[in-house]
Amino acid sequence: MSGNGMRLFLFIGSSRVRAVLLWLAHWPAFAFTPLCALGLRSVLGWPIPGWAPPTAGWITAVLIAATLAGGRLHKELDVPGIPCRWCDFELEEDQA
C-alpha cells in the first residue's frame, strides 16, 4: 500500500463500524441478501411491493461498497500485522 494514500483505518473512528466492515470482508456474499430475499418472495409466490426492488438494489449497492471498504481495511491492517478477529478464529479452527 502506498504511503501517500489516505488510511481508511484512521478515517473510521468507531471500532464497531470497523468490526462490521471486517466482517463483511470475510462474508462478501452477505451483500446480496436483499436481492436474494426478493427472489425468495418471488419463488414463494408472495407479492413484491413496488418500492422493494429499488430499495433492495440500493441496499445491495451500499453493502457491496461496504464490503469493498472492508477488504481495503483488512489489507491496511495486514501490513502492520494487526490481527483480525475472524482470521484468528479461522486459524484456531484449522489447528483443532
Side-chain angles (χ1 to χ4, degrees), residues 41-75:
R41 284 185 66 100
S42 176
V43 167
L44 293 176
W46 296 351
I48 298 176
W51 55 266
T55 304
W58 282 109
I59 292 172
T60 300
V62 168
L63 287 173
I64 289 172
T67 300
L68 293 173
R72 178 177 170 185
L73 178 62
H74 198 286
K75 288 179 185 176

Side-chain angles (χ1 to χ4, degrees), residues 13-32:
S14 171
S15 62
R16 290 182 181 177
V17 172
R18 285 193 299 260
V20 168
L21 291 176
L22 288 172
W23 184 84
L24 282 171
H26 282 273
W27 298 97
F30 183 78
F32 298 99

